[in-house]
Amino acid sequence: MTAEQRGVRSLLPSLDDYRSLPRTWKGDILAGVTVGIVALPLALAFGVSSGAGAESGLVTAIIAGIVAAVFGGSNVQISGPTGAMVVILAPTLAVHGTTSLALICLLAGVMVVAAGALRLGRTVSYIPWPVIEGFTLGIAIIIFLQQVPTATGGHGDSTNAAVAAVQAALSSTWPQLGWSLLLVALVVVVMLVSLKIHPRFPGSLLAIVIAALVASVFNLPVDTIGELPTGLPAPTFPSFDLASVSALLGPAAAVAALAAIESLLSARVASTMADTGPFDADRELVGQGLASIASGLFGGMPATGAIARTAVAVRSGGRTRVTAITHALLLLAIVLVGSALVAHIPLAALAGVLMVTAVRMVSLRTVRVILRTSRADAIIFCLTAIITVSVDLIYAVLIGLVVAGFFALRQLARTSGVFREELPGEPQPGDERIAIFRLEGALFFGAAERALEEVSSLRGAEAVILRMSQLQLLDATGAQVVTELIAALERRGITVLVKGIREDHRAIAERVGVISSLRHKNHLFDDLALATAHARSHVARGATA
């Protein structure tokens, strides 16, 4: 089998995915049932909150849950609709309409599959921790704000969650406002009490059942989910033309980027929670892309890995893909058997579930740690969160990466320097006219000019030895600065000797001109003693001339 064939084979399902199933199947099924119970209210709530509808949320959890489980790169990942996807999907559907949903799923899914095929899965490891946490905080705030219109019974026209929340609060009227807030408060109380009973107790499901009973018994004037189909819709390929593809390409790219980032982060965290077998980032992208495509064909939403549901699966004993498949089949059974009951769930109850979910997404301990770690981390964290809420999720990540990169380069530049050294051996006449400089750390575009200012201002020397063996990083800018420095010193009549160019730096030093800028090819040394002896002989010859 060739390397290319092995590469393609690694992205496809195999029997090895289920090697541990004979000893884990009981735990996998029980964990799948547990996750299914937890996922039901979230799937409904995320579907409603996105604007696609409760049915779309359920379809996503079922179809995408199975496809991602079979084709994905994680043995325990639970996929479906998530809050982060709702944050980016809701304003998109508000602008382009729900008819654009299937095409968005298709375009985004193809992009994510392509990213996996191009082996881009490990790029998520380059996202710094403060950016991830700031992104999470911003998403939590937006999810909470998005529930305000449903929780108050008001209406907000803006695509910005904060503005829409204010509009909804101001437009709400009694008595619907009072009854909606009552149901929200009831759900919050039940969920908080459930946490005290047991962390894995399905409090959200219990809260929704109680809220639905209260609304039905007292005939409260609140909006409900409404009629749902008693089965899955038939798959339909979306119709499209060049104009619609052009209009949706940008939103689809944002959806694809978010799906890839969230899924990989979720799978990576899950792989550290228990011994769940290997995790293949590239295959995970392929699986998530196929899941979004399949979900869109059945009327669902773009799918991502869901860290909260994945964590429940692992903590409940799930160890193979059967857990995610069981969770999806349970939701399918609920659609086939209990859709009439689900139709009576108040929308305000779902809003309460998502409000609690949003609050639980934020770890106050993590926020305190980041804010106290360093000023740079605090700035990156706060800036990412603010841009997520006020502008856009993808812009937030990109700007967070740029700012994090700036601080990282600044710190790297500070570790670099040029240090003058004493000449080795016994002092000899003329040593005062020889200078040795040790280049240390990283000589790159962010540090080159500052690091070599001391050498440039040198006076009274006839020979300079540049020690480059301690350089850890040399880029084209750094090599160019060294070249210019050598040329400037040579023009002043100062002979420059270079000692210890590392093998991994030699190619760039030759291409940029560091070596050719020396007066003679013999001025390049591997031994400091030889370089010093040459410099002393040069000074001595100058003194007798």
Side-chain angles (χ1 to χ4, degrees):
M1 183 180 293
T2 65
E4 291 79 7
Q5 290 173 328
R6 287 195 297 272
V8 172
R9 187 70 187 87
S10 68
L11 299 177
L12 300 176
S14 71
L15 292 177
D16 288 342
D17 297 337
Y18 307 93
R19 181 177 298 175
S20 62
L21 188 59
R23 66 176 184 275
T24 65
W25 67 272
K26 290 183 180 179
D28 291 332
I29 293 176
L30 289 175
V33 171
T34 302
V35 178
I37 293 173
V38 171
L40 174 61
L42 293 176
L44 295 170
F46 287 137
V48 172
S49 186
S50 70
E55 176 190 353
S56 183
L58 278 176
V59 167
T60 307
I62 295 168
I63 300 298
I66 293 177
V67 174
V70 173
F71 290 93
S74 169
N75 290 323
V76 292
Q77 178 93 286
I78 305 296
S79 301
T82 63
M85 187 57 69
V86 166
V87 168
I88 200 169
L89 196 60
T92 301
L93 295 184
V95 173
H96 298 281
T98 56
T99 56
S100 65
L101 183 59
L103 186 54
I104 291 174
C105 288
L106 179 62
L107 294 174
V110 170
M111 293 178 191
V112 176
V113 170
L118 293 173
R119 304 290 177 177
L120 301 179
R122 299 196 182 278
T123 55
V124 73
S125 62
Y126 297 116
I127 302 178
W129 182 45
V131 174
I132 294 173
E133 294 300 333
F135 177 72
T136 302
L137 174 60
I139 287 173
I141 294 172
I142 294 176
I143 291 173
F144 189 94
L145 292 174
Q146 283 180 337
Q147 309 318 307
V148 172
T150 305
T152 61
H155 299 282
D157 299 326
S158 176
T159 56
N160 183 278
V163 176
V166 173
Q167 292 174 339
L170 295 177
S171 64
S172 58
T173 57
W174 294 90
Q176 188 176 19
L177 171 62
W179 292 122
S180 295
L181 291 178
L182 174 65
L183 292 179
V184 170
L186 179 61
V187 167
V188 171
V189 170
V190 172
M191 290 184 68
L192 294 179
V193 172
S194 299
L195 285 175
K196 300 293 184 182
I197 297 174
H198 196 280
R200 289 191 299 223
F201 189 84
S204 58
L205 183 63
L206 177 62
I208 282 183
V209 170
I210 293 176
L213 289 174
V214 170
S216 179
V217 170
F218 294 98
N219 196 25
L220 300 183
V222 292
D223 295 328
T224 60
I225 289 178
E227 185 178 354
L228 290 174
T230 57
L232 291 177
T236 303
F237 196 83
S239 58
F240 60 90
D241 51 35
L242 184 59
S244 60
V245 171
S246 300
L248 295 175
L249 204 55
V255 167
L258 178 61
I261 292 171
E262 187 175 18
S263 297
L264 292 177
L265 289 177
S266 174
R268 190 175 69 175
V269 171
S271 67
T272 65
M273 296 176 64
D275 183 16
T276 58
F279 157 56
D280 188 321
D282 298 315
R283 181 179 166 186
E284 181 64 20
L285 288 180
V286 172
Q288 293 295 338
L290 293 175
S292 288
I293 293 173
S295 176
L297 296 180
F298 283 87
M301 304 157 48
T304 72
I307 183 59
R309 277 158 275 173
T310 301
V312 170
V314 175
R315 290 168 183 162
S316 300
R319 293 295 180 270
T320 74
R321 301 161 191 268
V322 171
T323 299
I325 295 172
T326 302
H327 126 276
L329 293 178
L330 177 64
L331 294 176
L332 177 60
I334 292 173
V335 169
L336 296 176
V337 177
S339 59
L341 297 175
V342 172
H344 296 290
I345 295 176
L347 295 179
L350 297 179
V353 169
L354 290 188
M355 284 180 165
V356 175
T357 301
V359 172
R360 292 176 62 186
M361 286 175 64
V362 181
S363 169
L364 293 180
R365 177 186 173 279
T366 299
V367 173
R368 285 194 296 267
V369 168
I370 293 177
L371 294 178
R372 294 174 180 174
T373 300
S374 69
R375 182 187 301 176
D377 288 333
I379 292 174
I380 295 167
F381 171 76
C382 294
L383 187 63
T384 303
I386 291 171
I387 296 175
T388 299
V389 175
S390 60
V391 184
D392 181 80
L393 282 81
I394 305 304
Y395 280 117
V397 173
L398 294 177
I399 293 175
L401 286 172
V402 171
V403 176
F406 166 78
F407 283 116
L409 291 176
R410 190 178 71 165
Q411 184 62 30
L412 185 61
R414 287 176 175 175
T415 64
S416 308
V418 178
F419 306 94
R420 186 163 182 174
E421 297 181 338
E422 297 293 330
L423 270 68
E426 293 294 327
Q428 298 183 20
D431 280 359
E432 69 278 2
R433 295 194 295 276
I434 301 174
I436 298 181
F437 290 96
R438 183 180 78 253
L439 309 184
E440 194 170 275
L443 195 63
F444 67 110
F445 66 89
E449 295 286 351
R450 181 186 61 81
L452 295 178
E453 285 177 357
E454 184 178 347
V455 183
S456 302
S457 60
L458 181 67
R459 294 292 181 272
E462 295 180 15
V464 169
I465 301 174
L466 297 180
R467 293 189 60 190
M468 299 179 63
S469 58
Q470 300 301 311
L471 275 179
Q472 303 301 313
L473 172 65
L474 179 69
D475 72 351
T477 302
Q480 178 62 23
V481 169
V482 174
T483 301
E484 293 173 356
L485 173 68
I486 294 173
L489 291 174
E490 292 284 357
R491 284 195 299 270
R492 290 165 50 190
I494 301 174
T495 298
V496 180
L497 311 178
V498 173
K499 180 267 171 186
I501 295 181
R502 291 169 38 158
E503 279 302 317
D504 53 333
H505 296 160
R506 185 174 291 270
I508 193 171
E510 289 178 349
R511 285 195 294 266
V512 174
V514 172
I515 297 175
S516 62
S517 64
L518 296 172
R519 186 180 302 178
H520 195 281
K521 63 180 181 179
N522 291 336
H523 288 180
L524 186 64
F525 296 87
D526 292 325
D527 184 81
L528 180 60
L530 293 177
T532 304
H534 188 95
R536 283 170 171 161
S537 68
H538 175 80
V539 171
R541 287 195 304 272
T544 59

